[in-house]
DNA sequence: TTAACATATGAACAAATGATCATATATTAA
DNA sequence: TTAATATATGATCATTTGTTCATATGTTAA
């Protein structure tokens, strides 16, 4: 925001280090895109939906039961996950069967779990 | 929140599917911990700090220069990253040299990037 | 057709949160 | 010691965002 206000206040960044980092870093846009992805994963309800769908496909009604939440709230969150191309759905009668739309999500989740537990990886919990 | 309000309104979840999912799913607490990790990564400023530190160690002053932000704002975010054990620092004189504290963070970032660019994953089958 | 079921979505509200500002602590230089 | 430098942090404020409520759309059963 204010890159000028500090230069007059006596701060001395290591210009070499700053230059090296800047040239090797990804674009600001890329960083924002990655952050957006994590922001979506950073909600208990949404990550739990993805976790459940990693085990098997489920409809809104099932997810509401599992999460102990209203159908409306679940549907709102599914909309966000759809927009992020993390889940997709298929209409079956009056139900909407949801499933994961990207295997990366599982990988990301397991790595996050590894960070938390300081372990290598996690056993596969999928059905069969 | 309200697990009772729906049962009297005529919704019929697939009880088998729900049971299967429930027994195989991680605990609620684990989900919340994972979500917390992602929430921290889901902020452009924080993920950019981690990205910069993945290139080389930097002090608060350098990070402020790279991010074009105030030192205060950077320091606040570093505090959050420290609490999550994603970065650690070492005092050198009046400077504080920060570096990554967990190699998992880089792995998670790269997988997220793969999700965004649709590389090495399931083909895109979104609904039209 | 009518009623029940299943999902989707806009609006409103409350809670969470990041940036700014002011201030505090600590280290080095003069 | 005094001043300058470097970082840390509490409080405030504005924005973001998830849930609820009301309502709309569409499907199946009676």
């Amino acid at each position: 925001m204010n890159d000028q206000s500090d230069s007059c206040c006596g701060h001395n960044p290591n210009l070499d280090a700053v230059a090296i980092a800047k040239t090797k870093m990804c674009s600001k846009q890329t960083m924002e895109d990655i952050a957006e992805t994590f922001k979506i994963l950073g909600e208990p309800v949404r990550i739990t939906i993805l976790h459940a769908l990693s085990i098997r496909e489920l409809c809104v009604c099932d997810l509401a039961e599992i999460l102990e939440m209203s159908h409306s709230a679940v549907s709102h969150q599914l909309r966000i996950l759809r927009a992020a191309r993390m889940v997709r759905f298929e209409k079956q009668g009056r139900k909407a069967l949801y499933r994961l739309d990207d295997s990366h999500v599982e990988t990301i989740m397991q790595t996050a779990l590894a960070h938390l537990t300081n372990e290598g990886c996690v056993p596969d919990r999928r059905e069969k």
Side-chain angles (χ1 to χ4, degrees), chain A:
Chain A
M1 306 312 165
N2 51 349
D3 38 351
Q4 296 301 320
S5 61
D6 291 330
S7 61
C8 61
C9 297
H11 288 292
N12 303 309
N14 178 341
L15 294 179
D16 283 343
V18 170
I20 290 173
K22 274 191 171 180
T23 55
K24 293 196 176 187
M25 286 175 68
C26 294
S27 72
K28 201 167 183 174
Q29 183 61 54
T30 300
M31 287 298 103
E32 284 174 5
D33 291 342
I34 293 179
E36 182 60 31
T37 298
F38 287 131
K39 184 171 286 182
I40 291 170
L41 298 175
E43 191 61 32
V45 173
R46 288 193 290 263
I47 198 72
T48 306
I49 288 174
L50 293 172
H51 179 45
L53 292 179
S54 77
I55 294 168
R56 62 163 295 158
E57 57 190 15
L58 296 162
C59 69
V60 178
C61 194
D62 298 339
L63 288 167
E65 180 78 12
I66 292 170
L67 297 165
E68 296 176 359
M69 287 179 60
S70 72
H71 299 143
S72 177
V74 171
S75 189
H76 272 295
Q77 297 306 324
L78 283 170
R79 185 173 192 267
I80 294 171
L81 292 171
R82 252 158 40 211
R85 302 201 319 276
M86 291 178 180
V87 304
R88 63 197 159 94
F89 75 102
E90 184 189 343
K91 259 303 183 71
Q92 287 201 352
R94 50 187 160 187
K95 297 214 172 190
L97 264 187
Y98 278 85
R99 63 191 61 169
L100 293 187
D101 192 19
D102 189 333
S103 60
H104 288 129
V105 173
E106 281 190 75
T107 306
I108 295 176
M109 268 187 58
Q110 294 191 354
T111 314
L113 207 50
H115 165 74
L116 287 169
T117 59
N118 267 338
E119 284 173 9
C121 217
V122 195
D124 194 341
R125 287 177 168 273
R126 276 171 301 178
E127 211 172 352
K128 299 183 185 82

